[in-house]
Amino acid sequence: MKHLRQLTDELMAKKARAALGGGEEKIAKQHAKGLLTARERIDLLVDAKTFVEFGQLNASDQPGLEETTYGDGLVAGIGKVNGRPAVIIAGDKTVLAGTEGSVHLRKSRQMHALAVRNGLPMFFLHEGGGLRMPDGMGSDGISDKLFPRELLTHHRKVPTMAAILGDSYGGPTWTAVSCDFVTQLKGTCMAIAGPRMLELANGQRVSPEELGGVDIHHQYTGQIDADGETEAECIEQLKRFFSYMPQNENERPPMRKTDDDPYRMVEEVFSILPDKRSRVYDMRNIIACLVDEGDYFEYQKQFGKALIAALAHLNGHVVGIIANQPNQYAGAPGPQECQKATEFICLCDSYHIPLIFLHDTPGFRISVEAEKAKMATKIMVWNQALALSTVPKISVVIRKSIGAAYGNMCGPGMGADVVVAWPSAEINFTGPEVGVNVVYGRELERADNPHERRQELLKQWSFDSSPYGAARKHLIDDVIHPAETRKFLCQTLEYLLTSKREKSERLLAAWPTGF
């Protein structure tokens, strides 16, 4: 008994040292930069006293580093996040700059296997410098440290969420861009390699933020879904996103209790939608009227701004909303909006989340720049995702829905279970003005009175763009009272979520997490 006590005391002394990671001096340096340590970040994420750490006594397998590299740059374990069990992995910058050595990578792989085997969601709190040298040097060093296969074949078996909370290169970046949701702390960098490596490789000199800061990802890449001013804000975003997710591929997202009447009239929409068709408005105000308690979580808010993608609840059910945003490019989707819509459809279909489409678009945003960005391909990839998705889909035409964009927003024949319109809807191949200009442009140039001739042609081209032509032929399912939209959505959703349809077939689960 005495010997066991002595051994136990030695163990606890080792664990106390291990809990300090790279030591008090390194922790002080981390705090001096205004950043938290890996364990402090985990404490912000998990419910109090629920975290069980694995691999605390790990250390680098390089000779001489046994007592100074506890955890080998990675803190990992299982804890509860808002009462739900999950696997948590956090890069430890205080140990060898959070770089990845052999033990670090082995632990990461085993934690991923544990999560998938037990159906546990995964949280990554990342900061680190990628593959460690000299561990990865030489043909033998690099051969077992290439891209993590468990991420490449994950197929959305469990939800994955990442926060970039310090400069992250290599491995942390590969992980983050493979996740279902990514948030990034302002002032940090997420890139393939750091500025120093970039300068040595090709002579380019840039700051970390110019290379992979928040603005770069919002404006160009779409590789992050949100950002935060503080680490606490970023971690709270992870929790909020998680509240809309199921535990794993075999479960539906949790229902949320609500006192918001599913049959509530939304008379506010009459004051939101402008009388003049050319006037803009904020579609977010329409969404807030429709969803439970006016509460929703926007996905990629700063990327592809002409399209809104959001998670919300309708009568307690989690739904995904894809809506045109008229106050950005009149609601016309461009390449970024196509990418955003595709990723969001894949996310929702993989986790059994029904989709609601709210139309107000004049058509796709075409330009030389859009063509260079493979606009045609991105439009069709969006359509492919739509065609393969098997969750219930409800489509509502609020105002304009013109041309091919009518299809991409889940118009008739594009896989919607139900397509309805407000009486304000305008549905057509193109506006009469554009059609007349294209077909009769040269004739108008030669006309003695171009204005008078244009008016004559516009009268000839006054096709019925109202929803009633489509409704008469049952090409759409109904024209609904705008104030009854919430009631219609809640009611229809309840009827569609039968035992056969409550879970999708997950045909999009194997699609890449980014395009």
Side-chain angles (χ1 to χ4, degrees):
M1 181 70 74
K2 185 176 180 182
H3 182 56
L4 178 58
R5 179 75 65 183
Q6 182 182 348
L7 291 174
T8 303
D9 290 342
E10 289 174 5
L11 168 65
M12 298 316 293
K14 276 182 176 290
K15 290 205 167 189
R17 288 198 301 275
L20 296 175
E24 292 180 352
E25 186 179 335
K26 294 284 182 67
I27 292 173
K29 283 185 178 179
Q30 184 78 346
H31 288 164
K33 292 187 289 185
L35 298 174
L36 301 174
T37 66
R39 287 185 173 81
E40 288 167 342
R41 289 165 177 165
I42 290 171
D43 286 342
L44 277 179
L45 176 67
V46 302
D47 303 346
K49 299 181 181 179
T50 64
F51 185 62
V52 177
E53 185 174 347
F54 298 134
Q56 187 177 20
L57 298 178
N58 294 157
S60 169
D61 57 4
Q62 294 292 323
L65 298 179
E66 296 83 359
E67 297 298 322
T68 58
T69 58
Y70 281 111
D72 202 31
L74 198 68
V75 180
I78 301 177
K80 287 187 177 180
V81 179
N82 292 342
R84 299 166 64 188
V87 165
I88 299 101
I89 294 175
D92 187 352
K93 190 67 181 292
T94 71
V95 176
L96 300 175
T99 53
E100 301 163 313
S102 300
V103 178
H104 177 125
L105 292 168
R106 185 179 304 118
K107 175 160 57 175
S108 179
R109 284 194 296 270
Q110 291 186 5
M111 292 305 299
H112 191 283
L114 178 72
V116 171
R117 187 166 57 247
N118 293 283
L120 299 175
M122 298 189 74
F123 289 87
F124 299 91
L125 308 176
H126 267 319
E127 176 183 20
L131 186 58
R132 186 182 306 158
M133 294 183 279
D135 296 51
M137 301 301 287
S139 60
D140 56 338
I142 186 66
S143 292
D144 65 349
K145 298 178 184 66
L146 293 172
F147 295 97
R149 187 164 177 78
E150 65 274 9
L151 281 178
L152 305 180
T153 57
H154 180 74
H155 296 172
R156 297 181 177 90
K157 295 182 183 74
V158 299
T160 51
M161 295 141 280
I164 296 295
L165 302 173
D167 290 349
S168 297
Y169 309 112
T173 298
W174 310 138
T175 298
V177 301
S178 301
C179 281
D180 296 309
F181 179 79
V182 187
T183 183
Q184 183 176 351
L185 179 67
K186 288 184 178 178
T188 66
C189 177
M190 180 181 77
I192 295 170
R196 185 162 173 264
M197 183 75 81
L198 195 68
E199 185 177 351
L200 291 171
N202 59 25
Q204 284 186 310
R205 291 188 177 186
V206 294
S207 69
E209 286 195 64
E210 289 172 317
L211 179 63
V214 162
D215 290 342
I216 295 296
H217 295 306
H218 283 325
Q219 292 176 30
Y220 300 105
T221 74
Q223 290 179 152
I224 65 173
D225 306 304
D227 65 70
E229 295 281 354
T230 65
E231 296 187 56
E233 184 182 349
C234 290
I235 289 170
E236 191 57 39
Q237 288 167 348
L238 296 183
K239 290 183 180 182
R240 185 133 186 253
F241 177 83
F242 182 43
S243 70
Y244 296 95
M245 292 293 109
Q247 280 294 99
N248 53 62
E249 61 182 326
N250 297 316
E251 297 183 13
R252 286 193 65 215
M255 289 280 290
R256 187 170 80 175
K257 186 179 179 182
T258 180
D259 294 322
D260 196 347
D261 182 1
Y263 295 167
R264 166 173 57 82
M265 295 293 101
V266 289
E267 297 287 344
E268 312 96 296
V269 299
F270 289 102
S271 59
I272 295 170
L273 198 71
D275 288 333
K276 197 172 181 181
R277 287 180 176 272
S278 58
R279 290 280 302 277
V280 302
Y281 63 97
D282 192 340
M283 181 65 84
R284 292 186 182 94
N285 294 330
I286 299 279
I287 294 171
C289 290
L290 300 178
V291 301
D292 294 353
E293 284 88 30
D295 182 45
Y296 59 92
F297 184 78
E298 204 164 334
Y299 172 89
Q300 294 187 5
K301 184 177 182 179
Q302 302 300 328
F303 181 76
K305 292 182 180 180
L307 184 124
I308 297 169
L311 294 163
H313 291 87
L314 281 172
N315 198 20
H317 293 283
V318 175
V319 295
I321 297 171
I322 293 177
N324 304 116
Q325 175 56 297
N327 69 14
Q328 299 286 331
Y329 301 103
Q336 290 187 350
E337 286 80 9
C338 291
Q339 175 179 319
K340 179 177 177 176
T342 302
E343 292 186 15
F344 193 67
I345 291 168
C346 290
L347 173 77
C348 291
D349 193 71
S350 296
Y351 294 120
H352 317 299
I353 299 172
L355 284 162
I356 310 294
F357 294 82
L358 304 176
H359 303 223
D360 192 347
T361 177
F364 284 108
R365 199 160 74 241
I366 53 175
S367 64
V368 172
E369 290 74 24
E371 296 298 336
K372 289 177 179 176
K374 302 201 305 183
M375 185 68 177
T377 296
K378 292 190 175 185
I379 288 170
M380 290 309 294
V381 170
W382 177 352
N383 278 328
Q384 289 163 20
L386 204 55
L388 289 171
S389 61
T390 54
V391 288
K393 294 180 284 293
I394 305 170
S395 205
V396 183
V397 184
I398 303 291
R399 197 164 63 168
K400 297 182 297 297
S401 199
I402 306 298
Y406 181 38
N408 282 68
M409 287 297 292
C410 212
M414 298 300 290
D417 292 278
V418 180
V419 180
V420 298
W422 285 8
S424 51
E426 177 188 342
I427 303 167
N428 211 328
F429 171 65
T430 186
E433 295 85 357
V434 175
V436 164
N437 286 341
V438 170
V439 177
Y440 300 105
R442 289 180 181 172
E443 178 185 329
L444 288 168
E445 287 175 6
R446 296 191 297 267
D448 294 331
N449 190 330
H451 177 73
E452 187 177 307
R453 179 59 179 149
R454 182 189 299 276
Q455 294 310 307
E456 291 174 6
L457 290 168
L458 284 172
K459 285 181 183 177
Q460 293 175 26
W461 277 55
S462 59
F463 297 100
D464 184 8
S465 297
S466 79
Y468 299 110
R472 277 192 296 271
K473 297 180 180 181
H474 205 96
L475 297 169
I476 63 174
D477 295 291
D478 201 6
V479 181
I480 65 170
H481 191 305
E484 293 184 350
T485 305
R486 172 175 164 82
K487 175 185 176 182
F488 177 82
L489 290 174
C490 289
Q491 228 172 6
T492 307
L493 190 64
E494 180 186 350
Y495 300 150
L496 293 176
L497 284 172
T498 61
S499 59
K500 184 177 180 180
R501 296 293 304 286
E502 64 179 358
K503 291 182 185 176
S504 79
E505 297 173 35
R506 303 188 77 248
L507 302 180
L508 294 167
W511 275 36
T513 47
F515 293 90

